[in-house]
Amino acid sequence: MTELIKVQDLKKQYENDEIVTKVLHGVSFSIKQGEFVAIMGPSGSGKSTLMHILGFLDQLTTGKYFFKNNDTSNLSDDQMAEYRNFEIGFVFQAFNLLPRTSVFDNVKLPLTYAKNPGDINDKVKKAIEAVDLTHRTNNLSNQLSGGEKQRVAIARALVNDPALIFADEPTGNLDSKTGGQVMRILQNLNKQGKTIILVTHEKYTAEHARRIIKIRDGLIESDFKVTNHIEINDGDELLK
Ligand SMILES: Nc1ncnc2c1ncn2[C@@H]1O[C@H](COP(=O)(O)OP(=O)(O)OP(=O)(O)O)[C@@H](O)[C@H]1O
Ligand SMILES: [Mg+2]
């Protein structure tokens, strides 16, 4: 499998006024195309920070980040925006849906950046169908339950057909049944060949992935394959 992401001794610190917050202290790993990886660690350990850097939403302080074998320090802002908009889908920790805006329009949003979006109507409908929300297409986002909002966020991440999806705590605010539905959707996407990078503080959620990278206090604590990962299938009892 081809290497999609490689970071070497990546460090990140935030500087606000006089205050320096060191978050990532030197992390190194690589992720191949088609993997399903969970980045796991306690609150404040730097998971979202790492996801934002890998997704070109924030910049590293020192170290190297290669995306598809390109050294990202050599990329122009336009090239980074291109990756961010067309190769990557994001499911954010806070859903970040537009309020008082329909499910359809929320899911459509990433396509509005595309030069040649193709059949927008068709793509939006398919993405909504993939998360089983066709019956809610015209509802406003603030009329949805937490689990439904999370599925809209996933549909929005999918609509561009990106090869890589980042999901930050996608089950964080959900009950176990709804969380199971979300994990099933992510596992199905992975089976279709998409690379999934899931951020979570929960061991149970992380065990739905094939590999876990544990971070603690800004360092990698362990990086291992999940033996006996938890598999959720379409007909499972959990989903009924
Ligand atoms: N913009 C910022 N400026 C200063 N410090 C920040 C900023 N963003 C995050 N931090 C700090 O960096 C650390 C890591 O934050 P991050 O959001 O990456 O943690 P996390 O692992 O995602 O936690 P959680 O599980 O609670 O979401 C925290 O101590 C946080 O306060
Ligand atoms: Mg976070």
Side-chain angles (χ1 to χ4, degrees):
M1 284 193 289
T2 352
E3 203 160 67
L4 188 60
I5 279 174
K6 181 157 105 184
V7 293
Q8 291 174 328
D9 202 21
L10 184 153
K11 295 183 185 171
K12 172 69 180 176
Q13 62 183 41
Y14 290 105
E15 288 167 39
N16 303 308
D17 303 321
E18 306 289 274
I19 306 166
V20 176
T21 314
K22 294 189 174 182
V23 180
L24 298 170
H25 302 295
V27 300
S28 305
F29 58 85
S30 56
I31 293 175
K32 295 192 177 72
Q33 244 153 34
E35 280 200 78
F36 188 165
V37 183
I39 295 175
M40 186 184 156
S43 179
S45 57
K47 304 179 299 294
S48 294
T49 301
L50 180 60
M51 186 193 104
H52 293 152
I53 293 170
L54 297 179
F56 304 103
L57 296 165
D58 198 355
Q59 289 192 333
L60 52 78
T61 306
T62 61
K64 286 278 185 197
Y65 172 24
F66 298 88
F67 185 78
K68 291 187 158 178
N69 296 316
N70 294 309
D71 183 341
T72 60
S73 62
N74 298 327
L75 295 177
S76 67
D77 288 350
D78 281 355
Q79 283 167 316
M80 281 193 236
E82 188 110 335
Y83 283 148
R84 191 167 53 230
N85 294 331
F86 305 118
E87 311 236 1
I88 301 174
F90 294 97
V91 181
F92 291 103
Q93 186 162 16
F95 311 125
N96 289 6
L97 299 182
L98 300 173
R100 296 179 298 280
T101 305
S102 72
V103 167
F104 186 93
D105 285 340
N106 267 286
V107 173
K108 189 176 89 172
L109 192 69
L111 294 176
T112 58
Y113 302 114
K115 288 187 202 93
N116 300 304
D119 187 341
I120 291 183
N121 209 30
D122 186 58
K123 286 185 181 174
V124 173
K125 280 188 178 160
K126 282 196 176 129
I128 293 174
E129 198 183 309
V131 298
D132 292 329
L133 278 180
T134 303
H135 57 297
R136 291 278 180 268
T137 303
N138 297 313
N139 279 71
L140 303 184
S141 64
N142 44 300
Q143 299 168 341
L144 303 174
S145 73
E148 288 170 339
K149 283 183 189 152
Q150 192 58 278
R151 278 143 67 196
V152 175
I154 293 176
R156 185 182 53 189
L158 286 179
V159 74
N160 265 336
D161 197 25
L164 167 61
I165 292 176
F166 286 105
D168 195 353
E169 300 281 6
T171 62
N173 303 308
L174 308 179
D175 61 57
S176 61
K177 178 181 158 190
T178 319
Q181 290 171 343
V182 166
M183 294 313 298
R184 175 195 50 148
I185 292 167
L186 292 175
Q187 287 185 332
N188 282 345
L189 290 168
N190 180 243
K191 281 181 198 149
Q192 291 161 22
K194 296 197 185 296
T195 308
I196 313 283
I197 302 180
L198 163 79
V199 168
T200 183
H201 65 277
E202 293 171 337
K203 181 168 177 278
Y204 176 76
T205 304
E207 285 172 348
H208 291 71
R210 301 299 183 110
R211 171 182 168 196
I212 296 177
I213 299 175
K214 271 194 193 171
I215 63 171
R216 181 177 290 274
D217 300 332
L219 285 169
I220 293 187
E221 187 180 56
S222 53
D223 180 347
F224 56 93
K225 265 195 172 149
V226 184
T227 43
N228 293 325
H229 73 282
I230 301 162
E231 179 91 32
I232 301 184
N233 295 303
D234 289 346
D236 277 2
E237 197 55 35
L238 176 68
L239 303 171
K240 286 178 188 150

